[in-house]
Amino acid sequence: MKNENLYNYILGIADNSLILGQRMGELCGHGPTLETDIACTNISLDLFGQVRSYFQYAAKIAGDGRTEDDIAMLRKERDYKNVLLSEQPNTNFAYTIGRQFLFDVYHLAFLTELQKSSDLTLSAIANKCVKEVSYHERFSLDWVKRLGDGTEESNQKMQEAINDLWTYTDELFHQTGADKAMVAEGVGVDVTKLKENYYKSVSELLEEARLKTPESKWFQKGGKQGIHTEHLGYLLADLQYMQRTYPNMEW
Amino acid sequence: MSEEQIKSLEKHFEERIARDEKIEPKDWMPEKYRKTHIRQMSQHAHSEIVGMLPEGNWITRAPSLRRKVALLAKVQDEAGHGLYLYSATETLGISRDEMYEQLHTGKAKYSSIFNYPTITWADMGAIGWLVDGAAIINQVPLCNTSYGPYARAMIRVCKEESFHQRQGFEIMMKLANGTPEQKDMAQDALNRWWWPSLMMLGPTDDVSVHTEQSMKWKLKRKSNDDLRQQFIDQTVPQADLIGLTIPDPDLKWNEERGSYDFGEIDWDEFWQVVKGHGPMNKQRMKARVGAWERGEWVRDAAMAHAEKKQARKEKQVV
């Protein structure tokens, strides 16, 4: 493939939205209130809309007849490059919100920078997504505050979720080979430069929500290399079910 | 209030409805009118919410990104309808929590159709095409019903439902024109959803208990049997168009009536499901009650946070 780095770079971004969108979609009809149900579905809907833009572009770059659906649904587990954070399960509402919050703060900073990409398609996609993601961040942050400040039980649950998910945050700022190549060309975002600000604002926001910033410096990584947690296989089994069972059909 | 005064209010009330005037929340209304509306509107809201479950069942497995996005949007619309209808019902002096309580304890009903399982992707097409199709036939006349908040809610709901119906038909059409395997999947879904969709329009007129009063209040404008006939006459040509067969050997065009004659509906099955013993009644309720109970600490936290925030604000002012 001529633009292999660009292709891999796009997949690295899009897989986060794909897997997180799938997780949020699981909740549809099962939320704690009707309003949160609608909001979570809406976030899922935004993320899948973003996925479509990225994968349509990736399919064009690949130029080998594959479609957005082939890219989304017909890769092997090791070929998904999403961060481990995005695939973590909906253990309870605090985990759902914690995962969303820790990703949104990163996602918003990332898209803000991606708007400056020299690749006009990526910058246009980022321009559209940044509006959606700033709403996601407002929603998840509001809930982190509600749960952190609400009752003793909710504070404990929210703190536990943040503590458990914290180990997956560092990976957000790791660079892959495709990342480095795209940064050098002025197409990609240098995520290492987002790290300091990320931890600073997350800490401040957690404090505002009466939560403690975890002190642990032990982090997990591997998603960007396709080495995932055990959760991903089951998620993919659902995501790929129709395409695998009924290959080469139109829907 | 004396009996005479009430009689005069009732007379005035019925005259307003006869003149096609809308009744608004603050207007005087007979207790029976209020209760009947709470019953029907909350039942409608519950149907939207429970109806999210059979379709939500396929969100993670939708066959393409385009279908996934459309399905998410559709189920989200249903949540929106639920929210809208609960709010409209609240104007009659009942809270959303009370309505949930009635749903969770089985006191309030919801549309029986959602007690059938969605076992293949084609069920997403069949639900949109048939279930939403039948719902529209039921609901379009309600855009002119006498209670203002309900009528206004229905105008928006019907617009979205008609979009869902076309979307469902398009799913079926794609399958029917697809591979033999896809066509079989579509036919199988039509076979399973056809009769429950006919039942959705309610028991036959001779046993329907609410019809007469509801007609007077414009909560109902046509009888169940008329609505059912309208649904059949509208849907049979659509099935023909995409080459699917309605699973009714007695279905036949009746030249004289200008309508289709159709076979016997299994009303025993209908009553079994209505009474709580359909294939998915228990699972649907378990899912709803489970979501509510698992969400309790979340709702408590939101309330506590709002109170604390208010208290902090007041303290600042002092």
Side-chain angles (χ1 to χ4, degrees), chain A residues 5 42 60 73 77 102 115 173-174 176 184 195 234 245:
Chain A
N5 278 328
N42 204 52
K60 210 167 115 190
M73 296 173 180
E77 181 172 343
L102 292 173
Q115 291 184 97
F173 310 101
H174 290 200
T176 63
K195 187 171 169 177
Y234 297 97
T245 313

Side-chain angles (χ1 to χ4, degrees), chain A residues 103-131:
Chain A
F103 184 73
D104 287 343
V105 175
Y106 158 81
H107 200 192
L108 188 57
F110 174 83
L111 289 171
T112 306
E113 289 305 308
L114 190 65
Q115 291 184 97
K116 300 172 201 155
S117 172
S118 63
D119 183 299
L120 293 181
T121 308
L122 278 185
S123 104
I125 296 174
N127 208 329
K128 173 184 160 271
C129 298
V130 82
K131 296 180 196 110

Side-chain angles (χ1 to χ4, degrees), chain B residues 212-239:
Chain B
E212 201 186 328
Q213 179 70 80
S214 295
M215 290 271 194
K216 210 163 102 193
W217 288 336
K218 296 170 186 177
L219 255 179
K220 211 168 175 58
R221 315 211 84 158
K222 282 183 184 174
S223 76
N224 293 349
D225 287 335
D226 287 347
L227 292 170
R228 194 164 11 250
Q229 187 70 58
Q230 185 188 339
F231 174 72
I232 293 169
D233 291 346
Q234 164 188 310
T235 311
V236 174
Q238 294 172 352

Side-chain angles (χ1 to χ4, degrees), chain B residues 47-64:
Chain B
S47 300
E48 298 282 357
I49 300 313
V50 179
M52 291 169 72
L53 298 171
E55 288 179 288
N57 185 38
W58 276 88
I59 286 173
T60 60
R61 291 176 294 167
S64 69

Side-chain angles (χ1 to χ4, degrees), chain B residues 43-140:
Chain B
Q43 182 174 319
H44 192 163
H46 297 325
S47 300
E48 298 282 357
I49 300 313
V50 179
M52 291 169 72
L53 298 171
E55 288 179 288
N57 185 38
W58 276 88
I59 286 173
T60 60
R61 291 176 294 167
S64 69
L65 291 173
R66 184 172 82 93
R67 293 293 184 200
K68 196 190 282 281
V69 167
L71 184 60
L72 270 164
K74 186 191 174 200
V75 183
Q76 195 192 27
D77 280 350
E78 279 154 14
H81 297 170
L83 196 58
Y84 215 52
L85 285 162
Y86 281 128
S87 305
T89 316
E90 281 181 318
T91 63
L92 290 162
I94 182 169
S95 72
R96 208 202 295 178
D97 282 4
E98 285 173 277
M99 287 186 263
Y100 279 156
E101 176 72 19
Q102 293 178 350
L103 174 68
H104 296 162
T105 55
K107 195 181 159 216
K109 297 263 181 269
Y110 58 89
S111 183
S112 268
I113 194 92
F114 301 120
N115 292 313
Y116 289 86
T118 52
I119 56 181
T120 72
W121 167 251
D123 292 7
M124 297 305 99
I127 288 183
W129 176 33
L130 303 173
V131 176
D132 292 332
I136 294 167
I137 286 193
N138 247 332
Q139 290 168 7
V140 165

Side-chain angles (χ1 to χ4, degrees), chain B residues 120-162:
Chain B
T120 72
W121 167 251
D123 292 7
M124 297 305 99
I127 288 183
W129 176 33
L130 303 173
V131 176
D132 292 332
I136 294 167
I137 286 193
N138 247 332
Q139 290 168 7
V140 165
L142 291 174
C143 297
N144 293 314
T145 192
S146 62
Y147 189 54
Y150 194 27
R152 288 187 290 273
M154 291 319 297
I155 290 171
R156 176 172 152 180
V157 169
C158 281
K159 274 185 196 156
E160 293 182 349
E161 291 294 355
S162 97

Side-chain angles (χ1 to χ4, degrees), chain A residues 18 21-22 24-26 28-39 41-45 48-49 51-52 55 68-69 72-73 92-94 142-143 145-147 149-155 157-158 210 235 237-243 245-246 248-251, chain B residues 49 52-53 56-73 75-76 78-80 82-84 86 96 100 119-122 170-171 174-175 178-179 181-182 185 287-288 291-292 294-302 304-306 308-309 312:
Chain A
L18 175 71
Q22 183 79 358
M24 288 308 257
E26 288 171 10
C28 190
H30 305 278
T33 68
L34 200 42
E35 286 82 353
T36 49
D37 220 312
I38 292 174
T41 313
N42 204 52
I43 290 173
S44 178
L45 203 50
F48 280 116
V51 168
R52 294 194 69 193
F55 283 165
E68 57 176 46
D69 293 324
M73 296 173 180
N92 62 34
F93 192 65
D142 277 352
W143 272 105
K145 285 187 198 160
R146 281 190 197 105
L147 298 180
D149 178 52
T151 63
E152 203 175 315
E153 184 188 5
S154 71
N155 177 278
K157 285 198 156 98
M158 195 64 242
R210 287 152 212 269
L235 181 148
D238 270 0
L239 177 72
Q240 300 189 340
Y241 167 69
M242 289 296 289
Q243 290 279 342
T245 313
Y246 304 94
N248 304 316
M249 296 184 201
E250 279 181 39
W251 303 95
Chain B
I49 300 313
M52 291 169 72
L53 298 171
N57 185 38
W58 276 88
I59 286 173
T60 60
R61 291 176 294 167
S64 69
L65 291 173
R66 184 172 82 93
R67 293 293 184 200
K68 196 190 282 281
V69 167
L71 184 60
L72 270 164
V75 183
Q76 195 192 27
E78 279 154 14
L83 196 58
Y84 215 52
Y86 281 128
R96 208 202 295 178
Y100 279 156
I119 56 181
T120 72
W121 167 251
E170 201 256 330
I171 290 176
K174 192 86 185 172
L175 293 173
T179 64
E181 235 177 330
Q182 284 175 306
M185 195 194 278
R288 281 315 313 159
W292 185 247
R294 278 193 306 278
E296 192 178 359
W297 70 271
V298 177
R299 297 188 301 275
D300 288 349
H305 170 70
K308 285 183 188 174
K309 214 168 137 184
R312 285 195 287 264

